[in-house]
Amino acid sequence: STGFGTGGATFEDVALFAAHIGDHVKIKAAGGIRTREEFDQLLDIGVERFGINTKSAIEIIKTF
């Protein structure tokens, strides 16, 4: 997801990318990431960049 679509990044979609693109391509997940749990799940499967709206980002950062 670019963050501009209607759905946002889903774990299933990002996992599919991660399984097929190889180590030389970095993954950015944007849109739909609202909780620390979602952030951690995406980080665990290889996401290196995140596009998160400001309100959600602040709430996620507070959990660290």
Side-chain angles (χ1 to χ4, degrees):
S1 172
T2 62
F4 293 103
T6 58
T10 67
F11 179 81
E12 292 80 12
D13 291 340
V14 175
L16 182 64
F17 274 102
H20 295 282
I21 61 171
D23 295 335
H24 62 284
V25 178
K26 294 183 179 183
I27 302 171
K28 177 184 178 187
I33 305 158
R34 304 239 181 323
T35 67
R36 170 75 185 269
E37 292 78 23
E38 292 168 340
F39 178 88
D40 286 342
Q41 277 186 320
L42 293 167
L43 190 64
D44 288 345
I45 61 169
V47 172
E48 294 190 28
R49 300 192 68 179
F50 292 86
I52 303 172
N53 74 44
T54 305
K55 183 177 180 183
S56 294
I58 290 169
E59 294 304 314
I60 291 169
I61 290 167
K62 285 180 180 179
T63 66
F64 281 92

